[in-house]
Amino acid sequence: MRCKTLTVIAAMVVMLTAGCSTLERLVYRPDINQGNYLAPADVAKIHTGMTKQQVAYTLGTPMMQDPFGSDTWFYVFRQQPGHGAVKQQTLTLTLTFSQDGILTNVKNQPTLN
């Protein structure tokens, strides 16, 4: 009788603690990095007057281009940690080129979500 009672209690304890958040930490969840990670030193190398080829060599290919033309490039980086509080950080660098392929405008805007 005592063995059955202990078995039932042990089963109930396992069922009640199965959903606890402490067990969730045991599961591996990688950090999710998407897009172009640009260091501030890399962004500082960019200036107006550069050609598209020079910008692509310095920063790499852009994440997105203007769908209605190729005069605007978007470098976007999004980071989401695997555990802990969900913080999504989006860094957007928008580069605008002239018709000749010369960089005319640099807009760097960090956005924290």
Side-chain angles (χ1 to χ4, degrees), residues 60-75:
T61 57
M63 180 75 167
M64 297 182 301
Q65 291 185 359
D66 184 10
F68 301 109
S70 60
D71 294 336
T72 305
W73 289 2
F74 301 97
Y75 289 86

Side-chain angles (χ1 to χ4, degrees), residues 36-48 50 54-61 75 77 91 93 95 103 106 108:
N36 304 87
Y37 176 75
L38 301 175
D42 294 334
V43 176
K45 295 176 186 176
I46 301 301
H47 57 83
T48 57
M50 295 178 74
Q54 290 171 330
V55 172
Y57 180 77
T58 305
L59 299 179
T61 57
Y75 289 86
F77 178 70
L91 301 173
L93 176 67
L95 305 177
L103 183 62
V106 178
N108 188 8

Side-chain angles (χ1 to χ4, degrees), residues 93-109:
L93 176 67
T94 306
L95 305 177
T96 307
F97 295 91
S98 68
Q99 294 290 344
D100 300 332
I102 304 299
L103 183 62
T104 59
N105 188 16
V106 178
K107 184 178 179 184
N108 188 8
Q109 59 187 84

Side-chain angles (χ1 to χ4, degrees), residues 23-34:
L23 296 177
E24 183 179 323
R25 294 251 181 222
L26 297 176
V27 177
Y28 175 71
R29 291 193 179 150
D31 294 340
I32 299 172
N33 299 324
Q34 296 175 322

